[in-house]
Amino acid sequence: MAQPTDQSCRLYLVTPPALEPAAFAVQLAEALDAGDVACVQLRLKDCSDDAVRRACDALRPVAQQRDVAFILNDHPALAKEMGCDGVHVGQKDTPYAKARQIVGKDAIVGVTCHDSRHLAMEAGEAGADYVAFGAFFPTATKDAEYHATPDLLAWWAEMMEIPCVAIGGITPENCGPLVAAGADFLAVVSGVWNCPEGPGAAVKAYNAAIAGALAG
């Protein structure tokens, strides 16, 4: 996942919590071929390690063949085993230091920080490659206990050079203030995979919205 430039903001796609790997690989290819995407995070819930392995085998090559980072949620040991580019950990998952020890110094490790400046500073000082803030908007993907605001992104962009990811109910229509505030990446789930016109059309719409917000 390339470091963003000062004036850039890129898409960070997160998979649905349940998927059929072979069928989803087709959707993922459509999304990645439609426009700029920095990263894909495989985030499966309530499934076995073998199911995660099968999904990695099907989806990781789709991303990596297109020079898109492939990150696994919440499973540092599996991320290393399956050749992923890194791992994303939440506050209730493997602690950052342990995840880093498992995946190694060259892998990407991102940390969920909700709406907390304190958690973000801790993660950044520990060496996280990015911090994720949210939810910024209502989302049907998961129960959002935390509600972040654009001023958090602006504060982080001014304080730190470590990239920040905004997540939670982000659409092409509402992402402008987050881009303007300094989000380096927009993490999107249902806005892409549930798009009636398909994931490719959604990626194009998000990239157009990002470009419009940066043009100001």
Side-chain angles (χ1 to χ4, degrees):
M1 190 164 71
Q3 289 275 4
T5 62
D6 288 344
Q7 295 299 315
S8 74
C9 179
R10 303 179 67 196
L11 275 181
Y12 179 128
L13 301 187
V14 181
T15 68
L19 54 82
E20 197 292 304
F24 189 75
V26 177
Q27 290 184 281
L28 181 60
E30 178 187 333
L32 299 185
D33 288 341
D36 179 58
V37 175
C39 178
V40 173
Q41 181 191 134
L42 177 63
R43 186 172 72 186
L44 299 179
K45 295 299 180 181
D46 303 320
C47 65
S48 67
D49 286 358
D50 280 345
V52 173
R53 289 185 178 97
R54 287 193 294 272
C56 285
D57 280 339
L59 304 179
R60 178 182 49 78
V62 177
Q64 291 179 342
Q65 288 166 7
R66 292 163 173 80
D67 293 321
V68 176
F70 188 77
I71 292 178
L72 183 60
N73 183 67
D74 188 22
H75 292 286
L78 284 178
K80 183 175 179 64
E81 174 191 336
M82 299 306 298
C84 301
D85 295 296
V87 67
H88 181 91
V89 293
Q91 291 298 321
K92 298 177 182 178
D93 301 331
T94 308
Y96 166 80
K98 181 67 173 177
R100 172 63 72 194
Q101 180 183 1
I102 293 170
V103 298
K105 63 182 178 63
D106 295 327
I108 297 166
V109 181
V111 179
T112 292
C113 297
H114 303 303
D115 60 350
S116 172
R117 299 183 183 203
H118 174 68
L119 291 176
M121 291 295 288
E122 280 191 335
E125 290 168 0
D129 293 289
Y130 68 84
V131 298
F133 294 119
F136 284 89
F137 304 104
T139 171
T141 304
K142 60 188 294 188
D143 293 332
E145 299 177 46
Y146 306 92
H147 302 282
T149 55
D151 65 299
L152 179 59
L153 300 172
W155 166 80
W156 183 259
E158 183 176 336
M159 288 284 295
M160 304 289 284
E161 295 188 5
I162 299 166
C164 62
V165 176
I167 190 168
I170 299 170
T171 68
E173 292 74 30
N174 67 21
C175 72
L178 307 182
V179 177
D184 297 296
F185 301 98
L186 301 181
V188 181
V189 190
S190 57
V192 167
W193 310 120
N194 294 346
C195 176
E197 292 79 30
V203 167
K204 290 178 181 178
Y206 277 101
N207 277 320
I210 289 170
L214 290 172

